[in-house]
Amino acid sequence: MLTIRAATAADFEAIWPIFQEIVSAGETYAYPRDTTKTEGKQLWLDNPRRTFVAEQDGDILGTYYIKTNQPGPGSHVCNCGYMVPAKARGRGIATAMCLHSQKVAVELGYQAMQFNFVASSNEGAVRLWHKLGFETVGRLPKAFWHPTKGYVDALVMYKWLATGC
Amino acid sequence: MLTIRAATAADFEAIWPIFQEIVSAGETYAYPRDTTKTEGKQLWLDNPRRTFVAEQDGDILGTYYIKTNQPGPGSHVCNCGYMVPAKARGRGIATAMCLHSQKVAVELGYQAMQFNFVASSNEGAVRLWHKLGFETVGRLPKAFWHPTKGYVDALVMYKWLATGC
């Protein structure tokens, strides 16, 4: 049974290996591959509006954040980032977190959710976000430097939430 | 004769009225309309990689910043913001600053320039960026709350610089 709950500062000990696995690979997130633990905590736990963990039998198998994407005239649109370690993929954890995040977004008063920078090479993620109702609304030519594929396009994905999840 | 030069901390006294005029209108920039002078200085002068002013006969008639748009795998793409006060529009100052910024971008090693959040209602700006070689690569539905028009789309605009300005 998977539980999604608010992350505490203490949870970062379990979040960090997930963050480091994904960020050091350099294939999906717009963070420097050598991001330190202190910087990672700031980016993932301190700066966002809320951070959650997905827990099963006491193991943290996923995490996501939600934050305002643009202040002022854009503050009705939120942004989320999700991480699932390789060992826990294929079990629907990203789906569960994305559905959870859409509910949280509505509760926090957001009207829409935007992903700013999805590497087009991350085909599994693109497929999943489409399945969960996100549209590709932008394509940034060669905006993502992939460690083995070189320059690939980055996608902007977007979902209006006001009509429900 | 218009001179574009690096901004100093002292220049913020002249930048602030321009920033405040534009940001308090809420029609173009994703900053809160009540952004304070201290916050404005941080956003415009302290956080970006470089900030410039356009000066004519000792008057500051425009300003722009350049910064990295996304760290890590996106760090070859920069982002700029430009401001010209109403009293100085129609004189080509935005054009001069955008051309200047593209040269600076190449000097700093960037490959491309991206505008993340151009209000589609800001037709003059959209036309100008197109004329200067930017493509509309994304359209974010209703992502910009305009004070009189309500929700309007925001555009993502992009130019690959490596082949020159």
Side-chain angles (χ1 to χ4, degrees):
Chain A
M1 160 102 182
L2 192 75
T3 307
I4 298 177
R5 61 166 177 82
T8 66
D11 286 326
F12 197 71
E13 291 305 315
I15 292 172
W16 170 243
I18 303 174
F19 184 99
Q20 198 183 26
E21 172 190 324
I22 291 169
V23 171
S24 69
E27 296 178 357
T28 52
Y29 267 86
Y31 300 134
R33 294 174 74 175
D34 58 355
T35 299
T36 64
K37 190 173 175 183
T38 303
E39 292 163 340
K41 181 166 177 292
Q42 187 121 42
L43 289 165
W44 200 262
L45 208 58
D46 300 339
N47 294 353
R49 189 154 167 199
R50 300 269 194 287
T51 303
F52 293 84
V53 289
E55 196 175 37
Q56 192 163 31
D57 303 327
D59 277 343
I60 289 180
L61 300 180
T63 178
Y64 82 86
Y65 73 76
I66 181 166
K67 65 182 175 195
T68 301
N69 198 43
Q70 295 276 4
S75 64
H76 58 290
V77 182
C78 66
N79 165 253
C80 291
Y82 311 85
M83 289 185 173
V84 176
K87 65 166 185 181
R89 288 188 197 145
R91 301 197 217 168
I93 297 170
T95 299
M97 291 197 297
C98 185
L99 292 171
H100 189 275
S101 70
Q102 292 180 45
K103 281 191 194 134
V104 169
V106 171
E107 283 164 18
L108 292 173
Y110 293 111
Q111 305 281 324
M113 188 179 288
Q114 181 173 325
F115 304 147
N116 297 304
F117 202 65
V118 182
S120 56
S121 49
N122 191 0
E123 291 169 11
V126 174
R127 205 160 38 229
L128 182 58
W129 306 147
H130 277 154
K131 196 171 138 189
L132 294 171
F134 288 79
E135 272 182 276
T136 298
V137 297
R139 176 175 280 265
L140 315 170
K142 301 190 280 187
F144 194 101
W145 175 260
H146 187 285
T148 58
K149 297 171 201 283
Y151 290 128
V152 298
D153 295 351
L155 307 180
V156 184
M157 304 188 74
Y158 193 88
K159 182 177 182 177
W160 192 259
L161 302 171
T163 52
C165 310
Chain B
M1 161 97 182
L2 191 73
T3 306
I4 298 175
R5 61 166 177 80
T8 66
D11 287 324
F12 196 71
E13 290 306 315
I15 293 172
W16 170 244
I18 303 174
F19 184 98
Q20 197 182 26
E21 172 192 323
I22 290 169
V23 171
S24 69
E27 296 178 357
T28 51
Y29 267 86
Y31 300 134
R33 293 173 73 176
D34 59 357
T35 299
T36 65
K37 190 172 174 183
T38 304
E39 292 164 340
K41 181 166 178 292
Q42 187 122 40
L43 288 164
W44 201 262
L45 207 58
D46 300 340
N47 293 352
R49 188 154 169 199
R50 299 269 195 285
T51 303
F52 292 84
V53 290
E55 195 174 37
Q56 191 163 34
D57 302 328
D59 278 343
I60 287 178
L61 300 179
T63 178
Y64 83 87
Y65 73 76
I66 182 166
K67 65 181 176 197
T68 300
N69 199 44
Q70 297 276 5
S75 64
H76 58 290
V77 182
C78 66
N79 166 251
C80 291
Y82 312 84
M83 290 185 173
V84 177
K87 66 166 185 180
R89 289 189 196 143
R91 301 196 217 167
I93 296 170
T95 299
M97 290 196 298
C98 185
L99 292 172
H100 189 272
S101 70
Q102 292 179 46
K103 279 192 197 135
V104 170
V106 171
E107 283 165 17
L108 292 173
Y110 293 111
Q111 304 282 325
M113 188 179 289
Q114 182 173 325
F115 304 147
N116 297 304
F117 203 64
V118 182
S120 56
S121 49
N122 191 1
E123 291 168 11
V126 174
R127 206 162 33 232
L128 182 57
W129 305 147
H130 277 156
K131 195 170 136 191
L132 294 172
F134 288 79
E135 272 183 275
T136 297
V137 295
R139 176 176 280 265
L140 314 170
K142 301 192 281 187
F144 193 102
W145 174 260
H146 187 285
T148 59
K149 297 172 202 284
Y151 289 128
V152 299
D153 294 351
L155 307 181
V156 183
M157 303 187 75
Y158 193 88
K159 181 175 181 178
W160 192 261
L161 302 171
T163 51
C165 309

Coordinates of all heavy atoms in Angstrom, one line a residue, chain A residues 26 29-32 70-74 76-77 111 114 116-117 137-145 151 156 158 160, chain B residues 26 29-32 70-74 76-77 111 114 116-117 137-145 151 156 158 160:
Chain A
G26 N 22.0 13.2 -15.4 CA 21.9 14.3 -16.3 C 20.9 14.1 -17.5 O 21.0 14.9 -18.4
Y29 N 16.6 16.1 -15.5 CA 16.4 17.3 -14.7 C 17.3 18.4 -15.0 O 18.5 18.2 -15.2 CB 16.4 17.0 -13.2 CG 15.0 16.7 -12.7 CD1 14.5 15.4 -12.8 CD2 14.2 17.7 -12.2 CE1 13.3 15.1 -12.4 CE2 12.9 17.4 -11.8 CZ 12.4 16.1 -11.8 OH 11.2 15.9 -11.4
A30 N 16.8 19.7 -15.1 CA 17.7 20.8 -15.3 C 18.3 21.3 -14.0 O 18.2 22.4 -13.5 CB 16.8 22.0 -15.9
Y31 N 19.1 20.4 -13.4 CA 20.0 20.7 -12.3 C 21.4 20.3 -12.7 O 21.5 19.3 -13.4 CB 19.6 19.9 -11.0 CG 18.2 20.1 -10.5 CD1 17.4 19.1 -10.1 CD2 17.7 21.4 -10.4 CE1 16.1 19.2 -9.6 CE2 16.4 21.6 -9.9 CZ 15.6 20.5 -9.5 OH 14.3 20.7 -9.0
P32 N 22.4 21.0 -12.2 CA 23.7 20.5 -12.5 C 23.9 19.1 -12.0 O 23.5 18.7 -10.9 CB 24.6 21.5 -11.8 CG 23.8 22.7 -11.6 CD 22.4 22.2 -11.5
Q70 N 5.3 30.9 -12.1 CA 5.7 32.3 -12.4 C 4.9 33.2 -11.4 O 3.7 33.0 -11.3 CB 5.2 32.7 -13.8 CG 5.9 32.0 -14.9 CD 7.3 32.6 -15.3 OE1 7.8 33.5 -14.7 NE2 7.9 32.0 -16.3
P71 N 5.6 34.1 -10.8 CA 4.9 35.0 -9.8 C 4.0 36.0 -10.5 O 4.0 36.1 -11.8 CB 6.0 35.7 -9.1 CG 7.2 35.7 -10.0 CD 7.0 34.5 -10.9
G72 N 3.2 36.8 -9.8 CA 2.4 37.8 -10.3 C 1.4 37.3 -11.3 O 0.6 36.4 -11.0
P73 N 1.4 37.8 -12.6 CA 0.3 37.5 -13.5 C 0.3 36.0 -13.9 O -0.6 35.5 -14.6 CB 0.7 38.3 -14.8 CG 1.4 39.5 -14.2 CD 2.2 38.9 -13.0
G74 N 1.3 35.2 -13.5 CA 1.4 33.8 -13.8 C 1.1 32.9 -12.6 O 1.3 31.7 -12.7
H76 N -1.3 31.7 -11.0 CA -2.3 30.7 -11.0 C -1.9 29.4 -11.6 O -2.7 28.5 -11.7 CB -3.6 31.2 -11.7 CG -3.4 31.6 -13.1 ND1 -2.7 32.7 -13.5 CD2 -3.8 31.1 -14.3 CE1 -2.6 32.8 -14.8 NE2 -3.3 31.8 -15.3
V77 N -0.7 29.3 -12.1 CA -0.1 28.1 -12.7 C 1.0 27.6 -11.8 O 1.9 28.3 -11.5 CB 0.4 28.4 -14.1 CG1 0.9 27.1 -14.8 CG2 -0.6 29.1 -15.0
Q111 N -4.9 27.0 -11.0 CA -5.8 26.7 -12.1 C -5.2 25.8 -13.1 O -5.9 25.1 -13.9 CB -6.1 28.0 -12.9 CG -6.7 29.1 -12.0 CD -8.2 28.9 -11.7 OE1 -8.9 28.4 -12.5 NE2 -8.6 29.2 -10.5
Q114 N 2.1 23.3 -15.1 CA 3.0 23.4 -16.3 C 4.3 22.6 -15.9 O 4.9 22.8 -14.9 CB 3.3 24.8 -16.6 CG 4.2 25.0 -17.8 CD 4.3 26.5 -18.2 OE1 3.3 27.2 -18.1 NE2 5.5 26.9 -18.7
N116 N 8.0 22.7 -17.4 CA 8.8 23.7 -18.2 C 9.8 23.1 -19.2 O 10.2 23.7 -20.2 CB 9.5 24.7 -17.4 CG 8.5 25.5 -16.5 OD1 7.6 26.1 -17.1 ND2 8.7 25.4 -15.2
F117 N 10.3 21.9 -18.8 CA 11.5 21.5 -19.5 C 11.6 19.9 -19.4 O 12.5 19.4 -18.7 CB 12.7 22.1 -18.6 CG 14.0 22.3 -19.4 CD1 14.0 23.1 -20.5 CD2 15.1 21.6 -18.9 CE1 15.2 23.3 -21.1 CE2 16.3 21.8 -19.6 CZ 16.4 22.6 -20.7
V137 N 2.6 21.9 -25.2 CA 2.3 23.2 -25.7 C 3.5 24.0 -26.3 O 3.3 25.1 -26.8 CB 1.5 24.0 -24.7 CG1 0.2 23.4 -24.3 CG2 2.4 24.2 -23.4
G138 N 4.6 23.3 -26.1 CA 5.8 24.0 -26.6 C 6.9 23.0 -26.9 O 7.0 21.9 -26.3
R139 N 7.8 23.3 -27.8 CA 9.0 22.5 -28.1 C 10.2 23.4 -28.3 O 10.2 24.3 -29.2 CB 8.7 21.7 -29.4 CG 9.9 20.8 -29.8 CD 9.6 20.0 -31.0 NE 8.9 18.7 -30.7 CZ 9.5 17.6 -30.4 NH1 10.8 17.4 -30.5 NH2 8.8 16.5 -30.0
L140 N 11.1 23.3 -27.4 CA 12.3 24.2 -27.4 C 13.4 23.5 -28.1 O 14.0 22.5 -27.6 CB 12.7 24.5 -25.9 CG 11.5 24.8 -25.0 CD1 12.0 24.8 -23.5 CD2 10.9 26.1 -25.4
P141 N 13.8 24.0 -29.3 CA 14.7 23.2 -30.1 C 16.1 23.1 -29.5 O 16.7 24.1 -29.1 CB 14.8 24.1 -31.4 CG 13.6 24.9 -31.4 CD 13.3 25.2 -30.0
K142 N 16.6 21.9 -29.3 CA 17.9 21.7 -28.8 C 18.2 22.3 -27.5 O 19.4 22.7 -27.2 CB 19.0 22.1 -29.9 CG 18.8 21.4 -31.2 CD 20.0 21.7 -32.1 CE 19.9 23.0 -32.8 NZ 20.9 23.2 -33.8
A143 N 17.2 22.5 -26.7 CA 17.4 23.2 -25.4 C 17.9 22.3 -24.3 O 18.3 22.8 -23.2 CB 16.1 23.9 -25.0
F144 N 18.0 21.0 -24.5 CA 18.4 20.1 -23.5 C 19.7 19.4 -23.9 O 19.7 18.7 -25.0 CB 17.3 19.1 -23.2 CG 17.5 18.3 -21.9 CD1 16.8 18.6 -20.7 CD2 18.4 17.2 -21.9 CE1 17.1 17.9 -19.5 CE2 18.6 16.5 -20.7 CZ 17.9 16.8 -19.5
W145 N 20.7 19.5 -23.1 CA 22.0 18.8 -23.5 C 21.9 17.4 -22.8 O 22.1 17.3 -21.5 CB 23.2 19.6 -23.0 CG 24.4 18.8 -23.3 CD1 25.2 18.1 -22.3 CD2 25.1 18.6 -24.5 NE1 26.2 17.5 -22.9 CE2 26.2 17.7 -24.2 CE3 24.9 19.0 -25.8 CZ2 27.1 17.3 -25.2 CZ3 25.8 18.5 -26.8 CH2 26.9 17.7 -26.5
Y151 N 22.4 17.5 -28.0 CA 21.3 18.4 -27.9 C 20.0 17.7 -28.3 O 19.9 17.1 -29.4 CB 21.4 19.5 -28.9 CG 22.5 20.5 -28.5 CD1 23.5 20.9 -29.3 CD2 22.5 21.1 -27.2 CE1 24.5 21.8 -29.0 CE2 23.5 22.0 -26.8 CZ 24.5 22.4 -27.7 OH 25.4 23.3 -27.3
V156 N 7.5 21.7 -23.4 CA 6.7 22.4 -22.4 C 5.3 21.7 -22.4 O 4.7 21.5 -23.4 CB 6.5 23.9 -22.7 CG1 5.8 24.6 -21.5 CG2 7.9 24.5 -22.9
Y158 N 1.5 21.1 -20.3 CA 0.5 21.9 -19.6 C -0.8 21.3 -19.5 O -1.3 20.6 -20.4 CB 0.4 23.2 -20.5 CG -0.3 24.4 -19.9 CD1 0.5 25.3 -19.2 CD2 -1.6 24.6 -20.1 CE1 -0.1 26.5 -18.7 CE2 -2.2 25.8 -19.5 CZ -1.5 26.7 -18.8 OH -2.1 27.8 -18.3
W160 N -4.8 22.4 -17.9 CA -5.7 23.2 -17.2 C -6.5 22.3 -16.2 O -7.0 21.3 -16.6 CB -6.6 23.9 -18.2 CG -7.4 25.0 -17.5 CD1 -8.7 25.0 -17.1 CD2 -7.0 26.4 -17.3 NE1 -9.1 26.2 -16.6 CE2 -8.0 27.1 -16.6 CE3 -5.7 27.0 -17.4 CZ2 -7.9 28.4 -16.2 CZ3 -5.6 28.3 -17.0 CH2 -6.7 29.0 -16.4
Chain B
G26 N 1.2 45.5 -14.6 CA 0.8 44.1 -14.5 C 0.5 43.5 -15.9 O -0.1 42.5 -16.0
Y29 N 5.1 41.7 -17.3 CA 6.1 40.9 -16.6 C 5.5 40.0 -15.5 O 4.6 40.4 -14.8 CB 7.1 41.9 -16.0 CG 8.3 42.1 -16.9 CD1 8.3 43.0 -17.9 CD2 9.4 41.2 -16.8 CE1 9.3 43.2 -18.8 CE2 10.5 41.4 -17.7 CZ 10.4 42.3 -18.7 OH 11.5 42.5 -19.5
A30 N 6.1 38.9 -15.4 CA 5.7 37.9 -14.3 C 6.3 38.3 -13.0 O 7.0 37.4 -12.4 CB 6.0 36.5 -14.8
Y31 N 6.1 39.5 -12.6 CA 6.5 39.9 -11.2 C 5.2 40.4 -10.6 O 4.3 41.0 -11.2 CB 7.5 41.0 -11.2 CG 8.8 40.8 -11.9 CD1 9.3 41.7 -12.8 CD2 9.5 39.6 -11.7 CE1 10.6 41.5 -13.5 CE2 10.7 39.4 -12.3 CZ 11.2 40.3 -13.2 OH 12.4 40.1 -13.8
P32 N 5.1 40.2 -9.2 CA 3.9 40.8 -8.6 C 3.9 42.3 -8.8 O 4.9 43.0 -8.8 CB 4.2 40.5 -7.1 CG 5.1 39.3 -7.1 CD 6.0 39.5 -8.3
Q70 N 18.0 27.8 -17.6 CA 17.9 26.6 -16.9 C 19.3 26.1 -16.6 O 20.1 26.0 -17.5 CB 17.1 25.5 -17.7 CG 15.7 25.8 -18.0 CD 14.7 25.4 -16.9 OE1 15.1 25.0 -15.8 NE2 13.4 25.6 -17.2
P71 N 19.5 25.7 -15.3 CA 20.9 25.2 -15.0 C 21.1 23.8 -15.6 O 20.2 23.2 -16.2 CB 20.9 25.2 -13.5 CG 19.5 25.0 -13.1 CD 18.6 25.7 -14.2
G72 N 22.3 23.3 -15.4 CA 22.7 21.9 -15.9 C 22.4 21.7 -17.3 O 23.0 22.5 -18.2
P73 N 21.6 20.7 -17.7 CA 21.4 20.4 -19.1 C 20.8 21.5 -20.0 O 20.8 21.4 -21.2 CB 20.5 19.2 -19.1 CG 20.7 18.6 -17.7 CD 21.0 19.7 -16.8
G74 N 20.3 22.6 -19.3 CA 19.8 23.7 -20.1 C 20.6 24.9 -20.1 O 20.2 26.0 -20.6
H76 N 23.0 26.1 -21.7 CA 23.5 26.8 -22.9 C 22.5 27.7 -23.5 O 22.7 28.3 -24.5 CB 23.9 25.7 -24.0 CG 22.8 24.8 -24.3 ND1 22.3 23.8 -23.5 CD2 22.0 24.7 -25.4 CE1 21.3 23.2 -24.0 NE2 21.1 23.7 -25.2
V77 N 21.3 27.9 -22.8 CA 20.3 28.7 -23.2 C 20.1 29.9 -22.2 O 20.0 29.6 -21.0 CB 18.9 28.0 -23.4 CG1 17.8 28.9 -23.9 CG2 19.1 26.8 -24.3
Q111 N 24.2 29.4 -26.5 CA 23.9 29.0 -27.8 C 22.5 29.5 -28.3 O 22.2 29.5 -29.5 CB 23.8 27.4 -27.9 CG 25.1 26.7 -27.4 CD 26.2 26.7 -28.4 OE1 25.9 26.6 -29.6 NE2 27.4 26.9 -28.0
Q114 N 16.0 32.4 -24.9 CA 14.6 32.0 -24.7 C 13.8 33.1 -23.9 O 14.3 33.5 -22.9 CB 14.5 30.7 -24.0 CG 13.0 30.1 -23.8 CD 13.0 28.7 -23.3 OE1 13.9 27.9 -23.6 NE2 12.0 28.4 -22.5
N116 N 10.5 33.2 -21.8 CA 9.6 32.1 -21.2 C 8.1 32.5 -21.1 O 7.3 31.6 -21.1 CB 10.0 31.8 -19.8 CG 11.4 31.3 -19.7 OD1 11.7 30.3 -20.4 ND2 12.3 31.9 -19.0
F117 N 7.8 33.8 -21.1 CA 6.5 34.1 -20.7 C 6.1 35.5 -21.3 O 5.9 36.5 -20.6 CB 6.5 34.2 -19.1 CG 5.2 34.0 -18.5 CD1 4.5 32.8 -18.6 CD2 4.7 35.1 -17.7 CE1 3.3 32.7 -17.9 CE2 3.5 34.9 -17.0 CZ 2.8 33.7 -17.2
V137 N 7.7 29.2 -30.0 CA 7.9 27.8 -30.0 C 6.9 27.2 -29.0 O 6.8 25.9 -28.8 CB 9.3 27.3 -29.6 CG1 10.3 27.8 -30.7 CG2 9.7 27.9 -28.3
G138 N 6.1 28.0 -28.3 CA 5.2 27.5 -27.3 C 4.1 28.5 -27.1 O 4.3 29.7 -27.2
R139 N 2.9 28.0 -26.7 CA 1.8 28.8 -26.4 C 1.1 28.2 -25.1 O 0.6 27.1 -25.2 CB 0.8 28.9 -27.5 CG -0.5 29.7 -27.2 CD -1.4 29.9 -28.4 NE -0.9 30.9 -29.3 CZ -1.4 32.2 -29.3 NH1 -2.3 32.6 -28.4 NH2 -0.9 33.1 -30.1
L140 N 1.1 28.9 -24.0 CA 0.6 28.4 -22.8 C -0.8 29.0 -22.6 O -1.0 30.2 -22.4 CB 1.5 28.9 -21.6 CG 3.1 28.8 -21.9 CD1 3.9 29.5 -20.8 CD2 3.4 27.3 -21.9
P141 N -1.8 28.1 -22.7 CA -3.2 28.6 -22.7 C -3.6 29.3 -21.4 O -3.4 28.7 -20.3 CB -4.0 27.3 -22.9 CG -3.0 26.3 -23.4 CD -1.7 26.6 -22.8
K142 N -4.0 30.5 -21.5 CA -4.5 31.3 -20.3 C -3.5 31.3 -19.2 O -3.9 31.4 -18.0 CB -5.8 30.7 -19.8 CG -6.9 30.6 -20.9 CD -8.3 30.3 -20.4 CE -8.4 28.8 -20.1 NZ -9.8 28.4 -19.8
A143 N -2.2 31.3 -19.5 CA -1.2 31.3 -18.4 C -0.9 32.7 -17.8 O -0.3 32.8 -16.8 CB 0.0 30.6 -18.9
F144 N -1.4 33.7 -18.5 CA -1.1 35.1 -18.1 C -2.4 35.8 -17.7 O -3.3 35.9 -18.5 CB -0.4 35.9 -19.2 CG 0.2 37.2 -18.8 CD1 1.6 37.2 -18.6 CD2 -0.5 38.3 -18.5 CE1 2.2 38.4 -18.2 CE2 0.0 39.5 -18.1 CZ 1.4 39.6 -18.0
W145 N -2.4 36.3 -16.5 CA -3.6 37.1 -16.0 C -3.4 38.5 -16.2 O -2.6 39.2 -15.6 CB -3.9 36.8 -14.5 CG -5.0 37.7 -14.0 CD1 -4.8 38.9 -13.3 CD2 -6.4 37.5 -14.2 NE1 -6.1 39.4 -13.0 CE2 -7.0 38.6 -13.6 CE3 -7.1 36.5 -14.8 CZ2 -8.4 38.7 -13.5 CZ3 -8.5 36.6 -14.8 CH2 -9.1 37.7 -14.1
Y151 N -7.6 36.3 -18.4 CA -6.6 35.3 -18.9 C -6.3 35.4 -20.3 O -7.2 35.4 -21.2 CB -7.2 33.9 -18.6 CG -7.3 33.4 -17.2 CD1 -8.5 32.9 -16.7 CD2 -6.2 33.5 -16.3 CE1 -8.6 32.5 -15.4 CE2 -6.3 33.1 -15.0 CZ -7.5 32.6 -14.5 OH -7.6 32.2 -13.2
V156 N 6.1 31.3 -25.5 CA 7.5 31.0 -25.3 C 8.2 31.3 -26.7 O 7.7 30.8 -27.7 CB 7.7 29.5 -24.9 CG1 9.2 29.2 -24.7 CG2 6.8 29.1 -23.7
Y158 N 11.9 31.8 -28.9 CA 13.2 31.2 -28.8 C 14.1 31.5 -30.1 O 13.5 31.6 -31.2 CB 13.0 29.7 -28.8 CG 14.1 28.7 -28.5 CD1 14.4 28.4 -27.2 CD2 14.9 28.2 -29.5 CE1 15.4 27.5 -26.8 CE2 15.9 27.3 -29.2 CZ 16.2 27.0 -27.9 OH 17.2 26.1 -27.5
W160 N 17.9 30.4 -31.8 CA 19.2 29.8 -31.8 C 20.2 30.8 -32.3 O 20.0 31.4 -33.3 CB 19.2 28.5 -32.6 CG 20.4 27.6 -32.4 CD1 21.6 27.6 -33.2 CD2 20.7 26.7 -31.4 NE1 22.5 26.7 -32.7 CE2 21.9 26.1 -31.6 CE3 19.9 26.3 -30.3 CZ2 22.5 25.2 -30.7 CZ3 20.4 25.4 -29.4 CH2 21.7 24.8 -29.6

